[in-house]
């Protein structure tokens, strides 16, 4: 006799008690990072990855809360996750997005470690003082870009230049941030002006990742510019390669992934944080020294 189908087939193997959810997700290095932490602490479970489309995310949260200790949420689910947790902390609410969920006493408690991860990665890349620069965020209308802009405004950077291919996506963000800092917005046809007014450039677009050539004019770059790319998939990313070709100090998002991941681990398990083991595993998997 054929056994009846379970009401909800298990989404993850029984020893996988944490995961990263997103779409696409196959490229994610979060399992490498988090599994190194779990192994270092001697936990008998693993961290997996789960492909989840935006339309399914509510149902998936309900299923995972029965078996998981927590999870990370990545593109394109972070904004939706804010409305799906039972409680979101101050950081998640101020960024308008959740990237880390813990299951505590059956409730889903969300936070967002991306802002702090970005901050520490920028410290590492450029040293103290970057936060006093005029910062241009390319793709500020997207999920990652708007969270970065909200974080930077909240920590008091004096001037944010927001650029997006579709400028109308900046309207709400501009109004919110103008209460905290000086904000300028630019459409894609005015990128040259935006670059001219900026000192630190943060790329939050997926430009060039689909193999299409980057059509930005390298004449927009000045020797005093610095550039940070939130993307970490390929090394160098198209935008990092573009900047480095002009001698501009440019870093990709691997260090941000590391720092946000260590803070996510802390949200689930607290101290001691196995940061050294996590970093070593991540950088080895990415094919880089530290
Ligand atoms: P994420 O959550 O990663 O930010 P997203 O919300 O889809 O993902 O946003 C992607 C960002 O990259 C957006 O700012 C998008 O611009 P639009 O808002 O106009 O769509 C930007 N983007 C993607 N491809 C781009 C391209 N070829 N040129 C310019 N911007 C691009």
């Amino acid at each position: 006799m054929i056994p009846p189908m379970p009401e909800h087939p298990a989404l993850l193997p029984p020893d996988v008690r944490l995961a990263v959810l997103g779409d696409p997700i196959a490229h994610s290095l979060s399992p490498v990072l988090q599994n190194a932490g779990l192994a270092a602490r001697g936990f008998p479970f693993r961290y997996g990855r789960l492909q989840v489309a935006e339309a399914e995310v509510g149902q998936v949260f309900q299923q995972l809360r029965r078996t998981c200790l927590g999870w990370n949420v990545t593109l394109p689910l972070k904004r939706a996750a804010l409305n799906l947790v039972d409680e979101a902390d101050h950081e998640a609410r101020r960024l308008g997005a959740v990237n880390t969920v813990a299951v505590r006493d059956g409730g889903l408690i969300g936070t967002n470690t991306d802002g702090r991860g970005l901050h520490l990665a920028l410290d590492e890349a450029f040293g103290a003082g970057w936060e006093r620069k005029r910062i241009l965020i390319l793709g500020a209308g997207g999920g990652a870009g708007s969270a970065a802009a909200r974080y930077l405004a909240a920590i008091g950077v004096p001037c944010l230049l927001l650029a997006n291919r579709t400028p109308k996506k900046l309207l709400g963000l501009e109004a919110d941030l103008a209460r905290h800092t000086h904000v300028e917005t630019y459409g894609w046809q005015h990128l040259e002006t935006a670059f001219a007014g900026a000192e630190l450039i943060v790329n939050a677009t997926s430009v060039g990742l689909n193999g299409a050539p980057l059509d930005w004019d390298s004449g927009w770059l000045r020797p005093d510019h610095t550039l940070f790319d939130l993307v970490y998939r390929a090394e160098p990313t198209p935008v990092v390669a573009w900047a480095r070709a002009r001698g501009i100090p440019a870093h990709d998002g691997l260090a941000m992934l590391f720092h946000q991941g260590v803070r996510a681990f802390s949200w689930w398990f607290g101290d001691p944080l196995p940061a050294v083991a996590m970093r070593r595993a991540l950088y080895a998997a990415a094919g880089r020294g530290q």
Side-chain angles (χ1 to χ4, degrees), residues 78-182:
K78 294 182 193 184
R79 284 195 269 211
L82 181 65
N83 298 316
L84 293 171
V85 292
D86 301 308
E87 197 182 312
D89 77 345
H90 171 70
E91 187 68 356
R93 282 185 273 113
R94 80 175 179 176
L95 298 193
V98 159
N99 83 330
T100 304
V101 177
V103 183
R104 294 193 192 133
D105 301 324
L108 303 185
I109 317 298
T111 187
N112 195 318
T113 65
D114 284 335
R116 193 72 193 135
L118 173 65
H119 194 136
L120 293 167
L122 288 169
D123 283 349
E124 215 177 274
F126 304 120
W130 62 263
E131 67 279 8
R132 289 190 295 277
K133 294 192 168 174
R134 294 168 58 88
I135 303 177
L136 167 62
I137 301 181
L138 302 169
S146 61
R150 287 182 191 282
Y151 178 84
L152 294 171
I155 64 162
V157 303
C159 173
L160 282 175
L161 293 78
L162 310 178
N164 209 57
R165 179 178 59 181
T166 316
K168 68 172 190 290
K169 290 196 195 164
L170 296 174
L171 291 176
L173 182 68
E174 180 185 19
D176 287 352
L177 300 194
R179 286 185 271 129
H180 301 280
T181 186
H182 174 79

Side-chain angles (χ1 to χ4, degrees), residues 23-254:
D23 183 14
I25 204 61
H27 69 278
S28 173
L29 292 179
S30 285
V32 171
L33 175 69
Q34 299 296 348
N35 280 321
L38 296 177
R41 285 277 293 267
F43 293 132
F45 41 80
R46 291 185 299 124
Y47 179 109
R49 59 166 77 83
L50 200 56
Q51 171 97 20
V52 178
E54 208 160 356
E56 306 163 347
V57 62
Q59 191 203 332
V60 169
F61 270 36
Q62 294 316 317
Q63 283 182 256
L64 293 184
R65 75 194 296 159
R66 292 191 243 128
T67 57
C68 280
L69 305 170
W71 52 87
N72 285 125
V73 179
T74 187
L75 318 177
L77 311 174
K78 294 182 193 184
R79 284 195 269 211
L82 181 65
N83 298 316
L84 293 171
V85 292
D86 301 308
E87 197 182 312
D89 77 345
H90 171 70
E91 187 68 356
R93 282 185 273 113
R94 80 175 179 176
L95 298 193
V98 159
N99 83 330
T100 304
V101 177
V103 183
R104 294 193 192 133
D105 301 324
L108 303 185
I109 317 298
T111 187
N112 195 318
T113 65
D114 284 335
R116 193 72 193 135
L118 173 65
H119 194 136
L120 293 167
L122 288 169
D123 283 349
E124 215 177 274
F126 304 120
W130 62 263
E131 67 279 8
R132 289 190 295 277
K133 294 192 168 174
R134 294 168 58 88
I135 303 177
L136 167 62
I137 301 181
L138 302 169
S146 61
R150 287 182 191 282
Y151 178 84
L152 294 171
I155 64 162
V157 303
C159 173
L160 282 175
L161 293 78
L162 310 178
N164 209 57
R165 179 178 59 181
T166 316
K168 68 172 190 290
K169 290 196 195 164
L170 296 174
L171 291 176
L173 182 68
E174 180 185 19
D176 287 352
L177 300 194
R179 286 185 271 129
H180 301 280
T181 186
H182 174 79
V183 181
E184 297 171 19
T185 59
Y186 296 89
W188 227 232
Q189 71 279 28
H190 296 120
L191 275 188
E192 183 172 4
T193 317
F195 272 77
E199 294 165 302
L200 167 60
I201 297 144
V202 174
N203 176 49
T205 74
S206 44
V207 164
L209 287 182
N210 58 3
L214 197 62
D215 61 355
W216 299 350
D217 184 344
S218 59
W220 299 341
L221 289 170
R222 291 190 313 265
D224 63 310
H225 275 143
T226 49
L227 185 140
F228 188 86
D229 192 350
L230 299 188
V231 169
Y232 71 86
R233 260 164 245 198
E235 159 69 2
T237 65
V239 173
V240 165
W242 174 75
R244 285 185 185 159
R246 289 286 301 226
I248 304 301
H251 297 263
D252 77 357
L254 193 67

Side-chain angles (χ1 to χ4, degrees), residues 6-25:
E7 192 185 340
H8 294 296
L11 293 172
L12 295 165
D15 67 330
V16 174
R17 308 288 305 282
L18 299 128
V20 58
L21 282 49
D23 183 14
I25 204 61

